[in-house]
Amino acid sequence: MTPTAPAPAQLVALLEQLPGCRILMDPDYRIVAANHTYRTHCGRGEDIDVVGRHCYEVSHGYDQPCDQAGESCPRQAALASGQAEHCVHVHHSPRGAEHVQVEITPLRDARGRVTLFAEHMQPLQGVCAIRPDESLVGQDPAFLKMLNLVMRVAPTDTSVLLLGETGTGKEMIARAIHEASLRASAPFVAVDCSGLTETLFESELFGHEKGSFTGASDRQIGKFEQADKGTIFLDEIGDMSLKTQAKVLRVLQEQVIQPVGGTATVKVDVRVIAATNKDLQDEIRAGRFREDLYFRLNVVPI
């Protein structure tokens, strides 16, 4: 084993102050420093010595870098770009295979040469690699690429459009975005945009005042108001009528709703995630979907 040069003391001290699993490694993938969280995460809850060992040996039991063994790893991308790079990676911990988000940042010396890489590894909640329970399940590269995008967009308030056939788990992805967001402690409200008449659907979304239509015996709070400070998931948005689309567009633009039968507006603070199994570009060309709403929703397509 080639001797490992000690990491600067200041960097070692900094690792212990940072949250999550953190290591420093040299250009040969050898760990030169690790914080307590990383050491215990890789050691069945015990503080193990990982300094001097290769990162891929510790976390995978491999005898070669994980990106050469079919795993995703952002190290080469970080070296090429000279900046931090991310990916979602299947980490083989003592607890079994688990999904983690990995961020690797190249560190340069006074001459501008990359001499160290800082790695931050963060386990993902609600995702598993092999156990078919309530979690998202998968290890395919396309699945991991999708998860990486989910985790990068989650902390923002950006609108997200989920595209896929019926039954591919769009609501599970919407929930994963919500649970990884800053709105996780607020409501997640799912709405099926198909199967209701226009009047009933507008009442469902925006609420209604007492007496606004036959059967409206009391005031009802709509889904947008229920989701205030949280996330609303509009499933099968392509089935929404043009009239209702216009009202949803107004919510996105002005963050206000107007209950059916009411005259006053209600301020709401919601993050919108929409989903569809239709080709919305085809729907726009056919005059069944508003192009302005499409561009509001399609900020980040997944």
Side-chain angles (χ1 to χ4, degrees), residues 70-271:
E71 300 272 6
S72 54
C73 175
R75 180 194 174 280
Q76 290 301 105
L79 181 61
S81 70
Q83 59 189 16
E85 298 288 349
H86 307 74
C87 80
V88 168
H89 176 79
V90 177
H91 173 74
H92 300 275
S93 76
R95 291 160 301 284
E98 60 185 13
H99 289 84
V100 296
Q101 187 172 43
V102 177
E103 178 184 79
I104 292 183
T105 304
L107 304 178
R108 300 179 182 277
D109 63 13
R111 297 181 180 179
R113 299 174 301 181
V114 174
T115 56
L116 292 171
F117 293 88
E119 176 180 297
H120 177 206
M121 187 172 68
Q122 181 178 359
L124 303 184
Q125 302 301 315
V127 186
C128 75
I130 55 175
R131 298 181 301 279
D133 53 15
E134 295 297 320
S135 303
L136 295 164
V137 181
Q139 299 188 58
D140 186 85
F143 179 81
L144 298 181
K145 182 178 180 181
M146 179 272 296
L147 274 186
N148 187 50
L149 183 54
V150 163
M151 294 305 157
R152 294 187 70 177
V153 75
T156 74
D157 266 347
T158 302
S159 296
V160 178
L161 181 62
L162 305 178
L163 306 169
E165 297 177 1
T166 300
T168 51
K170 296 188 290 295
E171 183 170 345
M172 294 184 73
I173 295 297
R175 287 185 181 275
I177 294 171
H178 171 73
E179 290 168 5
S181 76
L182 301 179
R183 298 175 177 265
S185 61
F188 174 88
V189 178
V191 182
D192 185 355
C193 297
S194 61
L196 290 176
T197 65
E198 186 171 288
T199 301
L200 288 177
F201 185 56
E202 288 189 23
S203 172
E204 180 90 353
L205 283 182
F206 310 118
H208 62 253
E209 299 294 341
K210 180 179 179 180
S212 57
F213 55 85
T214 301
S217 56
D218 293 293
R219 182 179 186 272
Q220 177 177 299
I221 294 176
K223 299 295 188 182
F224 270 100
E225 200 168 348
Q226 291 175 29
D228 190 41
K229 303 295 190 296
T231 303
I232 189 166
F233 172 55
L234 302 177
D235 196 12
E236 303 306 350
I237 192 80
D239 293 337
M240 187 180 287
S241 72
L242 287 169
K243 180 181 177 182
T244 307
Q245 289 174 36
K247 295 188 176 183
V248 170
L249 179 63
R250 184 188 182 196
V251 178
L252 292 174
Q253 291 173 329
E254 303 176 19
Q255 293 284 288
V256 296
I257 61 168
Q258 184 172 337
V260 176
T263 56
T265 58
V266 179
K267 188 76 173 176
V268 291
D269 173 16
V270 294
R271 195 243 188 104

Side-chain angles (χ1 to χ4, degrees), residues 7 11-12 14-16 18-26 29-42 48-59 73 75 91 102-107 116-121:
L11 288 179
V12 175
L14 177 61
L15 286 189
E16 291 295 352
L18 295 174
C21 299
R22 309 267 182 168
I23 62 170
L24 294 175
M25 59 183 173
D26 66 19
Y29 299 85
R30 203 179 301 277
I31 298 172
V32 298
N35 68 0
H36 174 76
T37 304
Y38 184 93
R39 296 192 302 270
T40 55
H41 183 79
C42 292
I48 63 171
D49 185 15
V50 296
V51 173
R53 300 171 64 188
H54 292 107
C55 61
Y56 50 83
E57 172 199 353
V58 172
S59 64
C73 175
R75 180 194 174 280
H91 173 74
V102 177
E103 178 184 79
I104 292 183
T105 304
L107 304 178
L116 292 171
F117 293 88
E119 176 180 297
H120 177 206
M121 187 172 68

